[in-house]
């Protein structure tokens, strides 16, 4: 931060300097929350400059508490760096502290010291038990790598959590779930889990609405494990919870309740996984008749589940798809075509082929994909000329599986073709044999289209570095002459050295 750097350079009286520093703490906290580079380092500089002035230290600590709860996870390792580290009355780095303050911020900074004895002393300080602003620091020390520090912190944490306020507990959960990823963080996480289990239902409900994704997921996990989620909230979460993991867990919990009425409500969920869970649960309860409604679902997992449900009901999903497609359906035609690919056969190709001319690009693309899955013959190179990039991508993917007819692809590199057609042709040609790849790159390396030119140059550089040293056979004479001519044409783009290197390589 420029203001902090300016303070470093200018000669200012210590108190005046500290007063000016404390004013930027809220701004730096917001910068750390936003992920701004170097904001953590600047914040460390500010803290060690204000910590010796009790009033300013209080203001700084209040600003830290207003940030995200996980802020101390960023500050903790940085405060141990010799450049920023707070070490009490002994000068350290470029910061000198003339006395040992006893304010809460000083205790928090000592808890982040590189000296294990100072960290242990800090977590045993009375202010650690009474000032909720220090709880994240105490929790971090409960996952300390030094056993004595960790034990002392866990002892203090156990005392604090017996009477912790709801708001303070909620600020601990985001820190605890991240400490759980550490080798020694299991006990810290278990302590917070136990406190959250002991909390009332209102606290758990508040935690499930937490803005922090991992903390919210943790609260749902506890609520489901302890059966403390009311039925109405459970259904609402399965239908609308933003976190997909928690949403699916709630749907699975409903499925285990053997309640077809609740599962039927989940069939309207926006989440494909929730719809699939609901369908599966209904089939398990002997209610497979819902499956036919979802044969045209846009989600593959839901569609496959629906096909299974239809079979369990004694029906044939392929027969239903054929009947629906023969009737030229409306908006869901794309999903029906995809469904026929799941369970149809080669004889269904004639039913799908007319959709290659459908005016909707995504329907044409799905028809290409389905015909390829059914093993039906089609002119994929001709489909590379489709005006829609999504259709061309599908055709190119099918060509990569079935073989690249290079002789028919060269005309598609012509400058009169749309960019997406030329790009697909280049990708296919560069994925063929090594000499075809070189020819395709040389054809476009000086192209007027910046995107294609960049792709060709990057691929040519990769070819020269990775492929060229491993080639022990020469190209056929006509192709070598053609490559030489392309090098001459592209020499301006390749540069004299690059062109000379390729000519030397072809002459060997």
């Amino acid at each position: 931060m420029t203001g902090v750097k300016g303070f470093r350079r200018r000669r200012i009286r210590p108190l005046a300097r500290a007063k000016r520093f404390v004013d930027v703490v809220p701004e730096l906290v917001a910068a750390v929350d936003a992920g701004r580079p170097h904001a953590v380092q600047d914040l460390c500089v500010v803290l060690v400059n204000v910590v010796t002035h009790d009033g300013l230290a209080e203001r700084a600590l209040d600003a830290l508490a207003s940030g995200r709860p996980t802020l101390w996870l960023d500050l903790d390792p940085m405060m141990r760096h010799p450049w920023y580290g707070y070490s009490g009355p002994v000068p350290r780095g470029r910061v000198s502290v003339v006395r040992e303050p006893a304010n809460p911020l000083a205790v928090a900074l000592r808890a982040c010291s590189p000296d294990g004895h100072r960290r242990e002393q800090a977590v045993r300080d009375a202010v650690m038990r009474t000032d909720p602003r220090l709880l994240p620091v105490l929790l971090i020390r409960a996952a300390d790598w030094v056993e004595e520090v960790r034990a002392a912190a866990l002892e203090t944490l156990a005392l604090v959590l017996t009477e912790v306020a709801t708001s303070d507990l909620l600020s601990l959960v985001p820190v605890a779930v991240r400490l759980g990823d550490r080798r020694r963080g299991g006990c810290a996480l278990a302590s917070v889990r136990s406190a959250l289990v002991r909390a009332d239902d209102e606290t758990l409900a508040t935690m499930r609405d937490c803005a922090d994704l991992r903390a919210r997921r943790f609260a749902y996990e506890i609520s489901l494990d302890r059966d403390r989620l009311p039925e109405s909230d459970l259904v609402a979460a399965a239908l609308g919870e933003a976190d997909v993991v928690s949403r699916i867990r709630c749907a699975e919990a409903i499925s285990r309740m053997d309640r077809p009425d609740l599962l039927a409500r989940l069939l309207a969920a926006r989440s494909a996984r929730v719809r699939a869970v609901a369908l599966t649960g209904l089939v398990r309860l002997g209610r497979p008749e819902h499956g036919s409604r979802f044969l045209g679902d846009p989600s593959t997992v839901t569609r496959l589940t629906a096909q299974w449900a239809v079979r369990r009901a004694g029906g044939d999903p392929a027969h239903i798809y054929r009947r629906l497609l023969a009737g030229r359906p409306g908006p869901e035609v794309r999903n029906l075509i995809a469904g026929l690919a799941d369970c149809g056969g080669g004889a269904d190709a004639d039913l799908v082929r007319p959709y290659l001319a459908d005016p909707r690009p995504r329907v044409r693309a799905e028809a290409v994909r389905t015909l390829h899955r059914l093993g039906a013959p089609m002119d994929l190179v001709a489909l590379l000329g489709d005006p829609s990039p999504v259709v061309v991508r599908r055709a190119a993917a099918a060509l990569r599986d079935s073989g690249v007819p290079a002789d028919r692809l060269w005309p598609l590199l012509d400058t009169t073709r749309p960019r997406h057609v030329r790009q697909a042709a280049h990708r296919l040609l560069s994925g063929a044999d090594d000499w075809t790849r070189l020819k395709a790159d040389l054809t476009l390396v000086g192209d007027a289209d910046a995107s294609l030119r960049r792709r060709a140059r990057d691929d040519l550089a990769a070819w020269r570095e990775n492929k060229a040293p491993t080639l022990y056979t020469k190209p056929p004479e006509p192709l070598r002459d053609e490559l030489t001519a392309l090098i001459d044409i592209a020499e301006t783009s390749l540069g004299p050295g690059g062109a000379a290197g390729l000519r030397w390589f072809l002459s060997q």
Side-chain angles (χ1 to χ4, degrees):
M1 181 175 177
T2 55
V4 173
K5 292 177 181 177
F7 289 148
R8 293 172 184 164
R9 291 193 298 267
R10 297 172 58 188
R11 289 183 173 273
I12 303 175
R13 291 171 58 188
L15 180 57
R17 177 188 179 96
K19 287 180 178 178
R20 296 186 63 180
F21 261 129
V22 79
D23 291 336
V24 301
V25 173
E27 179 185 345
L28 286 172
V29 169
V32 174
D33 287 350
R36 284 257 304 274
H38 310 302
V40 178
Q41 294 94 320
D42 287 342
L43 185 54
C44 289
V45 171
V46 168
L47 295 178
V48 297
N49 276 275
V50 304
V51 69
T52 55
H53 307 280
D54 292 346
L56 300 181
E58 281 294 307
R59 288 174 54 191
L61 190 56
D62 284 339
L64 292 177
S66 68
R68 55 181 167 83
T70 55
L71 174 63
W72 279 102
L73 289 172
D74 298 319
L75 287 173
D76 175 49
M78 192 59 63
M79 289 304 305
R80 287 193 296 280
H81 194 283
W83 186 269
Y84 309 102
Y86 170 62
S87 57
V90 181
R92 190 177 187 84
R94 293 178 60 184
V95 179
S96 297
V97 181
V98 297
R99 63 184 177 86
E100 183 79 40
N103 60 67
L105 179 61
V107 175
L109 298 189
R110 283 198 294 273
C112 300
S113 167
D115 186 333
H117 296 289
R118 291 175 62 79
R119 294 199 305 277
E120 182 180 358
Q121 178 189 25
V123 298
R124 293 187 183 279
D125 194 293
V127 75
M128 275 287 183
R129 298 191 297 273
T130 58
D131 194 326
R133 297 172 296 178
L134 304 190
L135 284 179
V137 188
L138 176 62
L139 187 60
I140 291 171
R141 293 283 69 84
D144 200 276
W145 60 97
V146 176
E147 184 177 356
E148 290 80 4
V149 178
R150 189 167 64 250
L154 286 169
E155 180 182 340
T156 303
L157 184 65
L159 295 174
V160 172
L161 290 179
T162 56
E163 298 180 356
V164 66
T166 297
S167 58
D168 300 332
L169 177 61
L170 299 183
S171 69
L172 285 178
V173 176
V175 182
V177 293
R178 287 162 175 81
L179 291 176
D181 297 335
R182 298 185 180 181
R183 184 190 305 176
R184 302 175 182 87
C187 292
L189 179 61
S191 297
V192 175
R193 178 191 291 272
S194 298
L196 201 54
V197 167
R198 294 193 301 269
D200 56 30
D201 291 341
E202 185 178 353
T203 300
L204 271 176
T206 303
M207 194 69 251
R208 291 195 298 270
D209 287 333
C210 175
D212 186 89
L213 174 65
R214 295 191 62 182
R216 190 165 73 245
R217 186 176 296 176
F218 184 69
Y220 268 106
E221 178 185 327
I222 292 176
S223 300
L224 292 171
D225 288 347
R226 298 284 172 165
D227 196 21
R228 293 180 59 183
L229 199 58
E231 181 181 296
S232 58
D233 292 348
L234 186 61
V235 174
L239 290 173
E241 165 59 35
D243 174 34
V244 62
V245 173
S246 299
R247 193 164 63 227
I248 294 169
R249 283 177 177 171
C250 290
E252 291 172 342
I254 293 173
S255 180
R256 290 191 294 270
M257 294 167 63
D258 294 342
R259 290 278 303 277
D261 57 325
L262 297 183
L263 290 173
R265 292 176 61 184
L266 299 189
L267 293 177
R270 290 176 298 173
S271 169
R273 291 288 301 277
V274 171
R275 295 196 301 273
V277 168
L279 269 176
T280 302
L282 286 168
V283 173
R284 184 175 56 83
L285 295 175
R287 302 286 296 275
E289 65 274 9
H290 295 277
S292 58
R293 292 167 44 199
F294 294 91
L295 288 177
D297 196 273
S299 163
T300 300
V301 65
T302 306
R303 202 167 53 242
L304 292 173
T305 306
Q307 294 167 15
W308 167 69
V310 169
R311 293 190 188 97
R312 289 291 297 267
D316 180 4
H319 176 72
I320 298 176
Y321 283 126
R322 295 183 192 112
R323 176 171 52 81
L324 293 173
L325 288 172
R328 304 293 291 180
E332 64 176 358
V333 61
R334 175 190 171 201
N335 306 326
L336 296 175
I337 293 172
L340 186 59
D342 297 330
C343 56
D348 296 313
D350 291 339
L351 187 59
V352 177
R353 205 178 301 278
Y355 289 101
L356 291 174
D358 193 276
R360 292 161 291 188
R362 293 194 175 276
V363 174
R364 297 199 302 274
E366 196 59 58
V368 172
R369 177 175 173 271
T370 294
L371 288 170
H372 179 61
R373 290 182 64 189
L374 295 176
M378 55 181 161
D379 191 350
L380 292 169
V381 177
L383 290 168
L384 288 177
D386 193 279
S388 171
V390 67
V391 179
V392 172
R393 284 195 296 270
R394 286 294 191 191
L399 271 173
R400 277 193 291 270
D401 294 337
S402 58
V404 178
D407 56 327
R408 295 187 60 193
L409 294 179
W410 294 115
L412 299 181
L413 293 179
D414 191 81
T415 56
T416 60
R417 299 282 186 168
R419 174 192 288 177
H420 68 275
V421 175
R422 302 178 71 203
Q423 180 176 297
H426 176 258
R427 283 179 173 172
L428 288 168
L429 289 166
S430 62
D433 64 88
D434 296 319
W435 299 114
T436 299
R437 176 182 178 183
L438 177 60
K439 179 180 174 181
D441 289 341
L442 289 173
T443 301
L444 296 182
V445 76
D447 197 86
D449 188 301
S451 175
L452 292 172
R453 184 171 65 245
R454 183 173 59 254
R455 287 177 179 275
R457 288 179 176 178
D458 291 346
D459 192 64
L460 180 59
W463 183 90
R464 293 176 63 174
E465 181 177 353
N466 302 318
K467 283 294 182 182
T470 64
L471 292 176
Y472 299 104
T473 58
K474 296 180 179 181
E477 193 67 30
L479 179 57
R480 182 161 49 174
D481 295 340
E482 191 175 0
L483 292 172
T484 302
L486 286 172
I487 293 171
D488 295 339
I489 295 171
E491 184 164 2
T492 302
S493 301
L494 295 171
L502 289 175
R503 290 193 187 99
W504 176 86
F505 182 79
L506 291 176
S507 67
Q508 300 305 302

